[in-house]
Amino acid sequence: MKVELNRVDDDFHFEATGVSNVPVHIDGALDIGGHNAGARPMEMLLMGLAGCSAIDVILILKKQRQIIEDFRITVEGQRPADAIPNPFQAIHLHYFLKGNLDEDKARRAIDLSMDKYCSATAQLRPTAAITYSLTIEK
């Protein structure tokens, strides 16, 4: 896997592309001179975790012929305030699924993602306690 990062302005705005060639904008926080022109790098880690797990869960549930009408994940990560570096120590994902879904199958799909398939989880788990919760709307 290869990505490329290119500086867009004289501050901290970057455009990154990977094998999909889809541009992703990254920027620093306002307090260091960023301009809110892209996601922060640590936000992108959480986005990557959510995306990785979402793909796993949807693939598993589709194979089980579960009907997914809507799918959303919120992710919250806690980092120590005064440490440098300050990696995530705790991450919680909340899955919101809507449809004609068996709750046990949905939980099993999430468990498989978290414990077996999601490479982002495997990458973050050595330094962060990763937990999840689930809401299913009919």
Side-chain angles (χ1 to χ4, degrees), residues 4-25:
E4 183 174 317
L5 182 83
N6 292 296
R7 193 171 183 196
V8 174
D9 65 14
D10 289 337
D11 293 316
F12 306 105
H13 181 196
F14 302 95
E15 183 177 279
T17 55
V19 294
S20 64
N21 208 32
V22 175
V24 176
H25 289 264

Side-chain angles (χ1 to χ4, degrees), residues 18-120:
V19 294
S20 64
N21 208 32
V22 175
V24 176
H25 289 264
I26 303 166
D27 200 357
L30 291 172
D31 62 349
I32 66 162
H35 303 285
N36 277 334
R40 310 289 181 272
M42 295 301 283
E43 289 174 329
M44 293 186 71
L45 287 174
L46 296 180
M47 290 176 196
L49 172 62
C52 183
S53 182
I55 290 169
D56 293 340
V57 171
I58 291 170
L59 280 171
I60 293 166
L61 291 174
K62 280 186 169 191
K63 286 180 183 175
Q64 296 174 341
R65 302 195 192 304
Q66 296 292 294
I67 306 299
I68 306 166
E69 294 173 16
D70 196 18
F71 188 101
R72 182 170 53 98
I73 302 174
T74 60
V75 185
E76 291 187 42
Q78 270 79 53
R79 301 164 63 194
D82 298 329
I84 296 178
N86 58 344
F88 292 108
Q89 292 179 322
I91 300 171
H92 183 79
L93 297 91
H94 189 93
Y95 295 76
F96 295 89
L97 284 72
K98 183 177 181 181
N100 187 13
L101 296 156
D102 179 297
E103 185 172 341
D104 290 336
K105 288 182 179 182
R107 286 192 186 284
R108 179 72 178 134
I110 296 168
D111 286 339
L112 284 169
S113 174
M114 292 285 103
D115 297 333
K116 185 174 182 180
Y117 295 117
C118 181
S119 298

